[in-house]
């Protein structure tokens, strides 16, 4: 792959990414625009997808959200679904202007939390060729209720308390209150199911961290991309992990039913299993087949 670092503005903040191309000379390439999920950077475990897409002849533009990774934005590790949707739209508009890219053949690719973000972004934009949404978080409220289900209501109360402290600290001009993105069962963290810590930590790149500003616990339940699903008319591939403890599979399936042109693939694995082994290989095969049909 040829790697070209690039940057683009998103509402006054500089976001950075990398354009991956199969060679140095091709023009009019279809492009997969890609970013990671909850609190992660595009360097965190997405190399197999980038490599597979480039090998198939597609360009990939992978970027980091503001406040994360190589992108600017203060405070660091402050996750806002609203801002990240705006970053997706800014990245999309930026890629459409690149000389080497066919602006009419762009796929938005998201996984986990960004699997929901691409639904919201595609609904707002209305002109992307297709989307791929892998183990998607389609309803923040349902995900929070899942946390209550496996960790108990006390965990939700702890998250609310630390979220309150975070917003108060930031309102007073102080540094954020941080909590773990993934932790062991019983510990404080946004994801604490049995498979979360061991699944999340191996994905972390050098420019990623296993913590976020705690205030996300307040806004998380209000991010419900399932409500935008019916507005996504383009071809969509929904890759659902049936044993998902993070993003309830039943909600992803309901979202797909609301999308007029969605295909669904089910994998009998947990949320983090799709990044490795047989599930990864099968997911990539399914995605390449979908892209070959969608980019014709």
């Amino acid at each position: 792959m040829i790697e070209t670092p690039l940057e683009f503005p998103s509402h006054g903040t500089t976001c950075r990414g990398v354009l991956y191309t199969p060679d140095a000379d091709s023009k009019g390439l279809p492009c997969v625009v890609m970013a990671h999920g909850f609190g992660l950077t595009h360097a965190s475990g997405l190399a197999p997808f980038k490599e597979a897409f480039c090998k198939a002849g597609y360009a990939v533009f992978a970027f980091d959200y503001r406040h994360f990774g190589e992108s600017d934005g203060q405070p660091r590790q402050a996750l806002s679904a609203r801002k990240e949707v705006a970053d997706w739209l800014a990245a999309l508009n930026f890629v459409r202007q690149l000389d080497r890219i066919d602006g009419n053949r762009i796929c938005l690719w998201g996984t986990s939390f960004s699997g929901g973000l691409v639904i919201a972004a595609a609904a707002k934009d209305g002109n992307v060729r297709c989307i791929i949404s892998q183990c998607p978080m389609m309803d923040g409220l349902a995900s929070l209720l899942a946390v209550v289900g496996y960790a108990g209501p006390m965990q939700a109360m702890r998250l609310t308390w630390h979220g309150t402290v975070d917003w108060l600290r930031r309102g007073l001009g102080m540094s954020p209150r941080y909590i773990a993105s993934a932790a062991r069962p019983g510990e404080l963290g946004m994801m604490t199911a049995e498979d979360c810590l061991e699944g999340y930590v191996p994905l972390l790149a050098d420019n990623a961290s296993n913590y976020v500003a705690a205030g996300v616990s307040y806004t998380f339940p209000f991010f419900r991309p399932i409500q935008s699903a019916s507005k996504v008319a383009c071809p969509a591939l929904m890759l659902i992990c049936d044993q998902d403890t993070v993003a309830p599979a039943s909600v992803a399936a309901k979202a797909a039913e609301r999308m007029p042109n969605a295909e669904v693939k089910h994998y009998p694995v947990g949320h983090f299993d799709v990044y490795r082994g047989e599930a990864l290989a099968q997911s990539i095969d399914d995605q390449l087949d979908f892209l070959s049909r969608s980019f014709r």
Side-chain angles (χ1 to χ4, degrees):
M1 298 186 295
I2 306 298
E3 301 182 17
T4 306
L6 297 170
E7 60 183 44
F8 62 94
S10 181
H11 296 263
T13 301
T14 298
C15 292
R16 296 182 177 87
V18 177
L19 179 67
Y20 301 87
T21 52
D23 54 57
D25 302 315
S26 297
K27 304 290 185 181
L29 292 169
C31 184
V32 179
V33 180
M34 172 185 295
H36 217 312
F38 190 89
L40 291 171
T41 64
H42 77 81
S44 299
L46 299 186
F49 303 98
K50 299 171 184 175
E51 292 166 0
F53 297 152
C54 275
K55 186 176 180 180
Y58 310 130
V60 174
F61 181 66
F63 71 96
D64 290 336
Y65 307 110
R66 68 183 103 168
H67 304 288
F68 291 90
E70 302 304 316
S71 294
D72 292 347
Q74 293 292 336
R76 305 305 292 170
Q77 302 295 119
L79 192 155
S80 163
R82 176 182 58 82
K83 291 181 179 179
E84 292 189 353
V85 170
D87 293 345
W88 272 101
L89 295 173
L92 176 58
N93 290 331
F94 172 72
V95 169
R96 283 177 171 147
Q97 299 173 37
L98 296 177
D99 292 339
R100 302 195 59 197
I101 303 304
D102 181 350
N104 293 315
R105 291 192 294 168
I106 293 179
C107 173
L108 300 187
W109 186 99
T111 186
S112 189
F113 191 72
S114 66
L117 293 171
V118 296
I119 300 295
K124 285 181 175 291
D125 179 80
N127 288 307
V128 297
R129 175 65 69 91
C130 59
I131 62 172
I132 294 175
S133 181
Q134 177 177 264
C135 55
M137 199 292 291
M138 296 301 301
D139 189 333
L141 179 59
S143 292
L144 181 61
L145 292 175
V147 170
V148 173
Y150 66 69
M154 183 59 68
Q155 182 76 327
M157 294 175 66
R158 293 170 72 191
L159 293 174
T160 300
W161 164 251
H162 286 275
T164 301
V165 172
D166 179 38
W167 285 118
L168 288 174
R169 288 179 61 87
R170 286 198 257 172
L172 294 171
M174 302 170 66
S175 61
R177 167 67 61 87
Y178 290 108
I179 60 173
S181 298
R184 295 181 178 86
E187 296 180 343
L188 177 65
M190 287 299 297
M191 297 177 286
T192 59
E194 291 285 347
D195 61 335
C196 288
L197 185 65
E198 293 183 356
Y200 190 88
V201 170
L203 295 175
L204 293 172
D206 291 341
N207 67 349
S209 302
N210 183 25
Y211 62 87
V212 292
V216 68
S217 62
Y218 262 105
T219 59
F220 196 77
F222 300 101
F223 180 58
R224 309 187 70 190
I226 188 172
Q227 296 179 330
S228 301
S230 62
K231 300 177 183 178
V232 179
C234 66
L237 178 63
M238 300 284 284
L239 308 166
I240 299 175
C241 298
D242 290 329
Q243 299 171 20
D244 202 319
T245 60
V246 175
S250 60
V251 181
K254 289 179 182 178
E257 291 174 358
R258 298 183 183 184
M259 301 166 70
N261 200 11
E263 301 177 26
V264 177
K265 298 290 184 180
H266 287 269
Y267 308 112
V269 298
H271 186 83
F272 296 99
D273 296 321
V274 78
Y275 300 104
R276 59 193 178 220
E278 293 182 8
L280 170 64
Q282 185 59 59
S283 174
I284 287 176
D285 285 347
D286 291 337
Q287 292 177 51
L288 290 174
D289 174 68
F290 173 77
L291 287 174
S292 69
R293 291 181 282 112
S294 299
F295 279 153
R296 286 175 185 167

